[in-house]
Amino acid sequence: MSSSTLSESEQEHLLDRLHVFKVQGRDRRGRTLLLIIAKHFPARLVSCEVLKKYLEEKIYPKLGEKPFSVVYVHTDVQRSENFPGFSLLRSIYDAIPVNVKNNLECVYFLHPGLQARLFLATFGRLFFNGGLYSKLKYVSRLEFLWDHVRRLEIEVPEFVHEHDEELEYRPMMDYGLESDHPRVYAEPPLMDPVSVFSMRCIA
């Protein structure tokens, strides 16, 4: 199934039902939060134009004319299922009204992963712009997100908490160096000093 098999109204209803975007809570500076649960985004079922319209009609108006922040939850995003691609993200970003761009003050990027870090470190300033890139803050754990966001004011899905717990047992998942399957926990293997140094360089 693709976006061409769903009507525009069906695509909009799907976005509503999956709760991909929520204007909910505030950060520690009192700014409104736009919560984006990327795993829920039906990338193969929603067209770029429908997504633009949905944001313009249902999300941007809720942000008002005040400064706001974004909590982007990248947990368990799979390129083949729920990642729309950087070209579509660029198209969406270019279509954001100027006043909304100006009011965006911070993007908290939760559970970024190695590929996302490398891409943004290499192409982030060119692909979006220096202004947006400078507002990006990587957050590797929920406990660090709560340093910036009022914990009791947003709803984080259970799978995000579960992933966070896995990272405590298997820290190499932070760098994309270990698959998240099978979910069997064991004592971590001993690593030679050269390997440890290499990991630190990647981080």
Side-chain angles (χ1 to χ4, degrees), residues 68-113:
F68 71 97
S69 297
V70 169
V71 174
Y72 172 77
V73 181
H74 194 66
T75 316
D76 286 351
V77 168
Q78 301 295 324
R79 188 176 185 85
S80 62
E81 297 178 13
N82 36 43
F83 182 65
F86 285 106
S87 59
L88 185 143
L89 291 178
R90 173 60 187 268
S91 177
I92 296 299
Y93 178 74
D94 288 344
I96 297 176
V98 174
N99 65 312
V100 176
K101 285 182 181 178
N102 290 340
N103 287 332
L104 173 58
E105 295 197 346
C106 187
V107 178
Y108 302 107
F109 195 129
L110 180 64
H111 295 154

mmCIF file of all heavy atoms in Angstrom, residues 68-113:
data_model
loop_
_atom_site.group_PDB
_atom_site.id
_atom_site.type_symbol
_atom_site.label_atom_id
_atom_site.label_comp_id
_atom_site.label_asym_id
_atom_site.label_seq_id
_atom_site.Cartn_x
_atom_site.Cartn_y
_atom_site.Cartn_z
ATOM 1 N N PHE A 68 8.700 28.137 20.832
ATOM 2 C CA PHE A 68 8.400 26.740 21.169
ATOM 3 C C PHE A 68 9.626 25.883 20.908
ATOM 4 O O PHE A 68 10.591 26.300 20.263
ATOM 5 C CB PHE A 68 7.208 26.237 20.347
ATOM 6 C CG PHE A 68 7.484 26.023 18.881
ATOM 7 C CD1 PHE A 68 7.797 24.764 18.382
ATOM 8 C CD2 PHE A 68 7.437 27.095 17.993
ATOM 9 C CE1 PHE A 68 8.062 24.567 17.036
ATOM 10 C CE2 PHE A 68 7.697 26.916 16.635
ATOM 11 C CZ PHE A 68 8.002 25.648 16.153
ATOM 12 N N SER A 69 9.581 24.666 21.441
ATOM 13 C CA SER A 69 10.642 23.681 21.227
ATOM 14 C C SER A 69 10.036 22.410 20.663
ATOM 15 O O SER A 69 8.829 22.160 20.800
ATOM 16 C CB SER A 69 11.363 23.368 22.545
ATOM 17 O OG SER A 69 12.000 24.513 23.069
ATOM 18 N N VAL A 70 10.867 21.603 20.040
ATOM 19 C CA VAL A 70 10.449 20.311 19.489
ATOM 20 C C VAL A 70 11.157 19.198 20.239
ATOM 21 O O VAL A 70 12.367 19.290 20.501
ATOM 22 C CB VAL A 70 10.778 20.209 17.983
ATOM 23 C CG1 VAL A 70 10.586 18.782 17.474
ATOM 24 C CG2 VAL A 70 9.930 21.173 17.177
ATOM 25 N N VAL A 71 10.408 18.166 20.614
ATOM 26 C CA VAL A 71 11.005 16.919 21.098
ATOM 27 C C VAL A 71 10.797 15.889 19.999
ATOM 28 O O VAL A 71 9.666 15.452 19.750
ATOM 29 C CB VAL A 71 10.372 16.439 22.414
ATOM 30 C CG1 VAL A 71 10.936 15.066 22.800
ATOM 31 C CG2 VAL A 71 10.620 17.437 23.537
ATOM 32 N N TYR A 72 11.873 15.565 19.306
ATOM 33 C CA TYR A 72 11.808 14.599 18.215
ATOM 34 C C TYR A 72 12.305 13.249 18.731
ATOM 35 O O TYR A 72 13.471 13.110 19.095
ATOM 36 C CB TYR A 72 12.652 15.050 17.030
ATOM 37 C CG TYR A 72 12.778 14.005 15.947
ATOM 38 C CD1 TYR A 72 11.736 13.764 15.063
ATOM 39 C CD2 TYR A 72 13.937 13.227 15.829
ATOM 40 C CE1 TYR A 72 11.839 12.787 14.085
ATOM 41 C CE2 TYR A 72 14.054 12.252 14.861
ATOM 42 C CZ TYR A 72 12.998 12.044 13.982
ATOM 43 O OH TYR A 72 13.093 11.059 13.024
ATOM 44 N N VAL A 73 11.416 12.255 18.769
ATOM 45 C CA VAL A 73 11.741 10.931 19.304
ATOM 46 C C VAL A 73 12.076 10.000 18.134
ATOM 47 O O VAL A 73 11.199 9.602 17.364
ATOM 48 C CB VAL A 73 10.563 10.371 20.131
ATOM 49 C CG1 VAL A 73 10.927 9.001 20.706
ATOM 50 C CG2 VAL A 73 10.196 11.336 21.250
ATOM 51 N N HIS A 74 13.357 9.673 18.014
ATOM 52 C CA HIS A 74 13.853 8.879 16.885
ATOM 53 C C HIS A 74 13.893 7.381 17.205
ATOM 54 O O HIS A 74 14.308 6.577 16.372
ATOM 55 C CB HIS A 74 15.262 9.364 16.528
ATOM 56 C CG HIS A 74 15.769 8.884 15.210
ATOM 57 N ND1 HIS A 74 15.210 9.256 14.002
ATOM 58 C CD2 HIS A 74 16.814 8.050 14.897
ATOM 59 C CE1 HIS A 74 15.873 8.690 13.011
ATOM 60 N NE2 HIS A 74 16.848 7.939 13.521
ATOM 61 N N THR A 75 13.443 7.003 18.359
ATOM 62 C CA THR A 75 13.508 5.618 18.832
ATOM 63 C C THR A 75 12.856 4.644 17.859
ATOM 64 O O THR A 75 11.723 4.842 17.427
ATOM 65 C CB THR A 75 12.787 5.493 20.193
ATOM 66 O OG1 THR A 75 13.158 6.586 21.024
ATOM 67 C CG2 THR A 75 13.130 4.183 20.871
ATOM 68 N N ASP A 76 13.594 3.584 17.512
ATOM 69 C CA ASP A 76 13.095 2.475 16.676
ATOM 70 C C ASP A 76 12.672 2.894 15.269
ATOM 71 O O ASP A 76 11.897 2.184 14.622
ATOM 72 C CB ASP A 76 11.910 1.769 17.363
ATOM 73 C CG ASP A 76 12.334 0.906 18.530
ATOM 74 O OD1 ASP A 76 13.554 0.711 18.709
ATOM 75 O OD2 ASP A 76 11.460 0.448 19.284
ATOM 76 N N VAL A 77 13.151 4.006 14.776
ATOM 77 C CA VAL A 77 12.818 4.405 13.407
ATOM 78 C C VAL A 77 13.548 3.486 12.430
ATOM 79 O O VAL A 77 14.742 3.236 12.563
ATOM 80 C CB VAL A 77 13.224 5.877 13.149
ATOM 81 C CG1 VAL A 77 13.158 6.203 11.665
ATOM 82 C CG2 VAL A 77 12.311 6.803 13.925
ATOM 83 N N GLN A 78 12.806 2.971 11.443
ATOM 84 C CA GLN A 78 13.354 2.102 10.414
ATOM 85 C C GLN A 78 13.209 2.782 9.054
ATOM 86 O O GLN A 78 12.129 3.248 8.704
ATOM 87 C CB GLN A 78 12.619 0.753 10.392
ATOM 88 C CG GLN A 78 12.672 -0.024 11.695
ATOM 89 C CD GLN A 78 14.071 -0.460 12.044
ATOM 90 O OE1 GLN A 78 14.868 -0.798 11.157
ATOM 91 N NE2 GLN A 78 14.400 -0.471 13.332
ATOM 92 N N ARG A 79 14.284 2.839 8.308
ATOM 93 C CA ARG A 79 14.274 3.544 7.029
ATOM 94 C C ARG A 79 13.193 3.030 6.088
ATOM 95 O O ARG A 79 12.566 3.795 5.358
ATOM 96 C CB ARG A 79 15.645 3.414 6.362
ATOM 97 C CG ARG A 79 15.800 4.262 5.111
ATOM 98 C CD ARG A 79 17.209 4.165 4.551
ATOM 99 N NE ARG A 79 17.398 5.052 3.418
ATOM 100 C CZ ARG A 79 17.728 6.328 3.533
ATOM 101 N NH1 ARG A 79 17.909 6.859 4.724
ATOM 102 N NH2 ARG A 79 17.882 7.084 2.468
ATOM 103 N N SER A 80 12.943 1.728 6.102
ATOM 104 C CA SER A 80 11.992 1.135 5.168
ATOM 105 C C SER A 80 10.534 1.314 5.587
ATOM 106 O O SER A 80 9.633 1.075 4.780
ATOM 107 C CB SER A 80 12.284 -0.363 5.014
ATOM 108 O OG SER A 80 12.132 -1.025 6.259
ATOM 109 N N GLU A 81 10.294 1.738 6.828
ATOM 110 C CA GLU A 81 8.926 1.776 7.326
ATOM 111 C C GLU A 81 8.438 3.172 7.709
ATOM 112 O O GLU A 81 7.350 3.589 7.297
ATOM 113 C CB GLU A 81 8.786 0.845 8.535
ATOM 114 C CG GLU A 81 9.029 -0.614 8.208
ATOM 115 C CD GLU A 81 8.927 -1.486 9.447
ATOM 116 O OE1 GLU A 81 8.435 -0.990 10.482
ATOM 117 O OE2 GLU A 81 9.352 -2.644 9.383
ATOM 118 N N ASN A 82 9.209 3.876 8.519
ATOM 119 C CA ASN A 82 8.669 5.131 9.058
ATOM 120 C C ASN A 82 9.607 6.317 8.935
ATOM 121 O O ASN A 82 9.381 7.348 9.546
ATOM 122 C CB ASN A 82 8.257 4.944 10.530
ATOM 123 C CG ASN A 82 9.200 4.008 11.272
ATOM 124 O OD1 ASN A 82 10.408 4.094 11.123
ATOM 125 N ND2 ASN A 82 8.638 3.094 12.062
ATOM 126 N N PHE A 83 10.674 6.174 8.131
ATOM 127 C CA PHE A 83 11.541 7.323 7.884
ATOM 128 C C PHE A 83 11.247 7.864 6.495
ATOM 129 O O PHE A 83 11.412 7.156 5.499
ATOM 130 C CB PHE A 83 13.010 6.924 7.992
ATOM 131 C CG PHE A 83 13.945 8.087 7.795
ATOM 132 C CD1 PHE A 83 13.972 9.135 8.704
ATOM 133 C CD2 PHE A 83 14.778 8.145 6.688
ATOM 134 C CE1 PHE A 83 14.816 10.215 8.527
ATOM 135 C CE2 PHE A 83 15.630 9.219 6.509
ATOM 136 C CZ PHE A 83 15.647 10.252 7.425
ATOM 137 N N PRO A 84 10.804 9.113 6.388
ATOM 138 C CA PRO A 84 10.371 9.653 5.090
ATOM 139 C C PRO A 84 11.507 10.009 4.150
ATOM 140 O O PRO A 84 11.282 10.238 2.960
ATOM 141 C CB PRO A 84 9.594 10.907 5.487
ATOM 142 C CG PRO A 84 10.228 11.346 6.761
ATOM 143 C CD PRO A 84 10.599 10.075 7.485
ATOM 144 N N GLY A 85 12.730 10.069 4.661
ATOM 145 C CA GLY A 85 13.862 10.475 3.838
ATOM 146 C C GLY A 85 14.207 11.937 4.070
ATOM 147 O O GLY A 85 13.340 12.752 4.370
ATOM 148 N N PHE A 86 15.490 12.263 3.933
ATOM 149 C CA PHE A 86 15.933 13.618 4.215
ATOM 150 C C PHE A 86 15.427 14.630 3.187
ATOM 151 O O PHE A 86 15.249 15.793 3.500
ATOM 152 C CB PHE A 86 17.461 13.663 4.313
ATOM 153 C CG PHE A 86 17.983 13.085 5.590
ATOM 154 C CD1 PHE A 86 18.588 11.844 5.604
ATOM 155 C CD2 PHE A 86 17.855 13.772 6.793
ATOM 156 C CE1 PHE A 86 19.079 11.305 6.785
ATOM 157 C CE2 PHE A 86 18.330 13.234 7.981
ATOM 158 C CZ PHE A 86 18.943 12.002 7.973
ATOM 159 N N SER A 87 15.198 14.184 1.954
ATOM 160 C CA SER A 87 14.701 15.117 0.941
ATOM 161 C C SER A 87 13.292 15.589 1.281
ATOM 162 O O SER A 87 12.969 16.775 1.110
ATOM 163 C CB SER A 87 14.727 14.461 -0.442
ATOM 164 O OG SER A 87 13.933 13.294 -0.468
ATOM 165 N N LEU A 88 12.448 14.676 1.772
ATOM 166 C CA LEU A 88 11.104 15.083 2.177
ATOM 167 C C LEU A 88 11.177 15.986 3.409
ATOM 168 O O LEU A 88 10.445 16.982 3.494
ATOM 169 C CB LEU A 88 10.231 13.861 2.464
ATOM 170 C CG LEU A 88 8.751 14.177 2.788
ATOM 171 C CD1 LEU A 88 7.835 13.117 2.193
ATOM 172 C CD2 LEU A 88 8.512 14.271 4.301
ATOM 173 N N LEU A 89 12.059 15.658 4.351
ATOM 174 C CA LEU A 89 12.205 16.499 5.534
ATOM 175 C C LEU A 89 12.633 17.913 5.139
ATOM 176 O O LEU A 89 12.144 18.900 5.695
ATOM 177 C CB LEU A 89 13.229 15.884 6.493
ATOM 178 C CG LEU A 89 12.825 14.583 7.178
ATOM 179 C CD1 LEU A 89 13.960 14.076 8.046
ATOM 180 C CD2 LEU A 89 11.571 14.770 8.011
ATOM 181 N N ARG A 90 13.523 18.003 4.163
ATOM 182 C CA ARG A 90 13.959 19.318 3.687
ATOM 183 C C ARG A 90 12.785 20.060 3.045
ATOM 184 O O ARG A 90 12.612 21.273 3.258
ATOM 185 C CB ARG A 90 15.100 19.160 2.682
ATOM 186 C CG ARG A 90 15.518 20.452 1.981
ATOM 187 C CD ARG A 90 15.995 21.502 2.980
ATOM 188 N NE ARG A 90 16.228 22.768 2.320
ATOM 189 C CZ ARG A 90 17.407 23.151 1.824
ATOM 190 N NH1 ARG A 90 18.448 22.335 1.893
ATOM 191 N NH2 ARG A 90 17.548 24.328 1.270
ATOM 192 N N SER A 91 11.983 19.346 2.274
ATOM 193 C CA SER A 91 10.820 19.967 1.638
ATOM 194 C C SER A 91 9.833 20.477 2.684
ATOM 195 O O SER A 91 9.290 21.583 2.558
ATOM 196 C CB SER A 91 10.132 18.954 0.716
ATOM 197 O OG SER A 91 8.972 19.513 0.134
ATOM 198 N N ILE A 92 9.613 19.687 3.727
ATOM 199 C CA ILE A 92 8.714 20.097 4.810
ATOM 200 C C ILE A 92 9.283 21.319 5.515
ATOM 201 O O ILE A 92 8.565 22.287 5.802
ATOM 202 C CB ILE A 92 8.521 18.946 5.822
ATOM 203 C CG1 ILE A 92 7.832 17.750 5.153
ATOM 204 C CG2 ILE A 92 7.721 19.419 7.032
ATOM 205 C CD1 ILE A 92 6.451 18.043 4.612
ATOM 206 N N TYR A 93 10.573 21.291 5.783
ATOM 207 C CA TYR A 93 11.207 22.417 6.476
ATOM 208 C C TYR A 93 11.103 23.700 5.657
ATOM 209 O O TYR A 93 10.810 24.769 6.191
ATOM 210 C CB TYR A 93 12.668 22.098 6.778
ATOM 211 C CG TYR A 93 13.387 23.246 7.445
ATOM 212 C CD1 TYR A 93 13.155 23.551 8.782
ATOM 213 C CD2 TYR A 93 14.288 24.050 6.732
ATOM 214 C CE1 TYR A 93 13.795 24.618 9.396
ATOM 215 C CE2 TYR A 93 14.930 25.117 7.338
ATOM 216 C CZ TYR A 93 14.678 25.394 8.666
ATOM 217 O OH TYR A 93 15.297 26.456 9.268
ATOM 218 N N ASP A 94 11.337 23.601 4.360
ATOM 219 C CA ASP A 94 11.261 24.780 3.493
ATOM 220 C C ASP A 94 9.855 25.374 3.454
ATOM 221 O O ASP A 94 9.689 26.569 3.208
ATOM 222 C CB ASP A 94 11.697 24.423 2.065
ATOM 223 C CG ASP A 94 13.200 24.198 1.964
ATOM 224 O OD1 ASP A 94 13.925 24.613 2.893
ATOM 225 O OD2 ASP A 94 13.645 23.596 0.966
ATOM 226 N N ALA A 95 8.840 24.514 3.690
ATOM 227 C CA ALA A 95 7.450 24.976 3.624
ATOM 228 C C ALA A 95 6.943 25.555 4.944
ATOM 229 O O ALA A 95 5.837 26.093 4.993
ATOM 230 C CB ALA A 95 6.546 23.817 3.190
ATOM 231 N N ILE A 96 7.733 25.449 5.987
ATOM 232 C CA ILE A 96 7.307 25.995 7.286
ATOM 233 C C ILE A 96 7.235 27.519 7.196
ATOM 234 O O ILE A 96 8.178 28.156 6.714
ATOM 235 C CB ILE A 96 8.289 25.583 8.399
ATOM 236 C CG1 ILE A 96 8.299 24.064 8.569
ATOM 237 C CG2 ILE A 96 7.918 26.258 9.722
ATOM 238 C CD1 ILE A 96 9.324 23.572 9.576
ATOM 239 N N PRO A 97 6.137 28.115 7.627
ATOM 240 C CA PRO A 97 6.020 29.581 7.595
ATOM 241 C C PRO A 97 7.163 30.246 8.361
ATOM 242 O O PRO A 97 7.669 29.705 9.347
ATOM 243 C CB PRO A 97 4.672 29.839 8.273
ATOM 244 C CG PRO A 97 3.901 28.582 8.075
ATOM 245 C CD PRO A 97 4.915 27.478 8.127
ATOM 246 N N VAL A 98 7.559 31.419 7.897
ATOM 247 C CA VAL A 98 8.693 32.126 8.487
ATOM 248 C C VAL A 98 8.490 32.387 9.977
ATOM 249 O O VAL A 98 9.415 32.230 10.784
ATOM 250 C CB VAL A 98 8.941 33.460 7.751
ATOM 251 C CG1 VAL A 98 10.020 34.271 8.467
ATOM 252 C CG2 VAL A 98 9.347 33.201 6.315
ATOM 253 N N ASN A 99 7.267 32.768 10.361
ATOM 254 C CA ASN A 99 7.031 33.078 11.780
ATOM 255 C C ASN A 99 7.192 31.834 12.657
ATOM 256 O O ASN A 99 7.672 31.920 13.790
ATOM 257 C CB ASN A 99 5.646 33.689 11.973
ATOM 258 C CG ASN A 99 4.524 32.722 11.636
ATOM 259 O OD1 ASN A 99 4.544 32.077 10.585
ATOM 260 N ND2 ASN A 99 3.525 32.621 12.505
ATOM 261 N N VAL A 100 6.836 30.665 12.122
ATOM 262 C CA VAL A 100 7.000 29.420 12.879
ATOM 263 C C VAL A 100 8.489 29.088 13.006
ATOM 264 O O VAL A 100 8.968 28.708 14.082
ATOM 265 C CB VAL A 100 6.244 28.260 12.202
ATOM 266 C CG1 VAL A 100 6.492 26.945 12.947
ATOM 267 C CG2 VAL A 100 4.748 28.554 12.161
ATOM 268 N N LYS A 101 9.238 29.234 11.916
ATOM 269 C CA LYS A 101 10.684 28.997 11.962
ATOM 270 C C LYS A 101 11.356 29.907 12.987
ATOM 271 O O LYS A 101 12.223 29.482 13.751
ATOM 272 C CB LYS A 101 11.306 29.236 10.590
ATOM 273 C CG LYS A 101 11.043 28.153 9.565
ATOM 274 C CD LYS A 101 11.762 28.485 8.268
ATOM 275 C CE LYS A 101 11.492 27.435 7.214
ATOM 276 N NZ LYS A 101 12.138 27.756 5.928
ATOM 277 N N ASN A 102 10.941 31.160 12.986
ATOM 278 C CA ASN A 102 11.564 32.126 13.893
ATOM 279 C C ASN A 102 11.256 31.816 15.353
ATOM 280 O O ASN A 102 12.052 32.111 16.248
ATOM 281 C CB ASN A 102 11.101 33.539 13.561
ATOM 282 C CG ASN A 102 11.659 34.049 12.244
ATOM 283 O OD1 ASN A 102 12.664 33.538 11.751
ATOM 284 N ND2 ASN A 102 11.008 35.038 11.664
ATOM 285 N N ASN A 103 10.082 31.210 15.599
ATOM 286 C CA ASN A 103 9.686 30.892 16.978
ATOM 287 C C ASN A 103 10.276 29.582 17.484
ATOM 288 O O ASN A 103 10.245 29.323 18.686
ATOM 289 C CB ASN A 103 8.161 30.846 17.091
ATOM 290 C CG ASN A 103 7.533 32.220 17.037
ATOM 291 O OD1 ASN A 103 8.148 33.212 17.425
ATOM 292 N ND2 ASN A 103 6.294 32.299 16.560
ATOM 293 N N LEU A 104 10.787 28.761 16.573
ATOM 294 C CA LEU A 104 11.411 27.503 16.980
ATOM 295 C C LEU A 104 12.763 27.802 17.624
ATOM 296 O O LEU A 104 13.659 28.334 16.970
ATOM 297 C CB LEU A 104 11.598 26.580 15.770
ATOM 298 C CG LEU A 104 12.398 25.290 16.017
ATOM 299 C CD1 LEU A 104 11.755 24.445 17.103
ATOM 300 C CD2 LEU A 104 12.543 24.504 14.726
ATOM 301 N N GLU A 105 12.920 27.445 18.885
ATOM 302 C CA GLU A 105 14.144 27.788 19.599
ATOM 303 C C GLU A 105 15.038 26.596 19.899
ATOM 304 O O GLU A 105 16.233 26.767 20.114
ATOM 305 C CB GLU A 105 13.794 28.520 20.900
ATOM 306 C CG GLU A 105 13.121 29.870 20.650
ATOM 307 C CD GLU A 105 13.145 30.768 21.866
ATOM 308 O OE1 GLU A 105 13.428 30.278 22.980
ATOM 309 O OE2 GLU A 105 12.860 31.971 21.696
ATOM 310 N N CYS A 106 14.474 25.377 19.928
ATOM 311 C CA CYS A 106 15.311 24.224 20.264
ATOM 312 C C CYS A 106 14.662 22.944 19.747
ATOM 313 O O CYS A 106 13.428 22.817 19.754
ATOM 314 C CB CYS A 106 15.507 24.141 21.776
ATOM 315 S SG CYS A 106 16.692 22.882 22.280
ATOM 316 N N VAL A 107 15.500 22.007 19.284
ATOM 317 C CA VAL A 107 15.029 20.677 18.876
ATOM 318 C C VAL A 107 15.789 19.646 19.708
ATOM 319 O O VAL A 107 17.004 19.493 19.570
ATOM 320 C CB VAL A 107 15.274 20.404 17.384
ATOM 321 C CG1 VAL A 107 14.807 18.989 17.026
ATOM 322 C CG2 VAL A 107 14.560 21.437 16.526
ATOM 323 N N TYR A 108 15.078 18.951 20.593
ATOM 324 C CA TYR A 108 15.670 17.882 21.395
ATOM 325 C C TYR A 108 15.526 16.576 20.612
ATOM 326 O O TYR A 108 14.421 16.086 20.401
ATOM 327 C CB TYR A 108 14.970 17.774 22.744
ATOM 328 C CG TYR A 108 15.014 19.047 23.553
ATOM 329 C CD1 TYR A 108 13.873 19.838 23.706
ATOM 330 C CD2 TYR A 108 16.189 19.479 24.157
ATOM 331 C CE1 TYR A 108 13.907 21.024 24.440
ATOM 332 C CE2 TYR A 108 16.236 20.653 24.897
ATOM 333 C CZ TYR A 108 15.091 21.417 25.027
ATOM 334 O OH TYR A 108 15.136 22.584 25.751
ATOM 335 N N PHE A 109 16.650 16.014 20.183
ATOM 336 C CA PHE A 109 16.673 14.830 19.316
ATOM 337 C C PHE A 109 16.973 13.625 20.189
ATOM 338 O O PHE A 109 18.125 13.354 20.533
ATOM 339 C CB PHE A 109 17.755 15.033 18.250
ATOM 340 C CG PHE A 109 17.702 14.100 17.079
ATOM 341 C CD1 PHE A 109 17.721 14.600 15.784
ATOM 342 C CD2 PHE A 109 17.663 12.727 17.256
ATOM 343 C CE1 PHE A 109 17.709 13.749 14.690
ATOM 344 C CE2 PHE A 109 17.633 11.862 16.177
ATOM 345 C CZ PHE A 109 17.658 12.383 14.877
ATOM 346 N N LEU A 110 15.924 12.871 20.545
ATOM 347 C CA LEU A 110 16.074 11.751 21.467
ATOM 348 C C LEU A 110 16.425 10.464 20.738
ATOM 349 O O LEU A 110 15.807 10.113 19.739
ATOM 350 C CB LEU A 110 14.776 11.551 22.259
ATOM 351 C CG LEU A 110 14.755 10.408 23.274
ATOM 352 C CD1 LEU A 110 15.766 10.653 24.395
ATOM 353 C CD2 LEU A 110 13.355 10.228 23.856
ATOM 354 N N HIS A 111 17.411 9.733 21.255
ATOM 355 C CA HIS A 111 17.884 8.459 20.710
ATOM 356 C C HIS A 111 18.289 8.601 19.236
ATOM 357 O O HIS A 111 17.749 7.915 18.373
ATOM 358 C CB HIS A 111 16.804 7.370 20.854
ATOM 359 C CG HIS A 111 16.491 7.021 22.264
ATOM 360 N ND1 HIS A 111 15.253 6.500 22.647
ATOM 361 C CD2 HIS A 111 17.216 7.119 23.408
ATOM 362 C CE1 HIS A 111 15.263 6.294 23.959
ATOM 363 N NE2 HIS A 111 16.438 6.659 24.437
ATOM 364 N N PRO A 112 19.255 9.460 18.927
ATOM 365 C CA PRO A 112 19.591 9.743 17.533
ATOM 366 C C PRO A 112 20.192 8.590 16.744
ATOM 367 O O PRO A 112 19.906 8.447 15.563
ATOM 368 C CB PRO A 112 20.589 10.903 17.642
ATOM 369 C CG PRO A 112 21.163 10.781 19.004
ATOM 370 C CD PRO A 112 20.052 10.271 19.867
ATOM 371 N N GLY A 113 21.038 7.761 17.338
ATOM 372 C CA GLY A 113 21.672 6.690 16.587
ATOM 373 C C GLY A 113 22.857 7.191 15.780
ATOM 374 O O GLY A 113 22.981 8.378 15.478
#
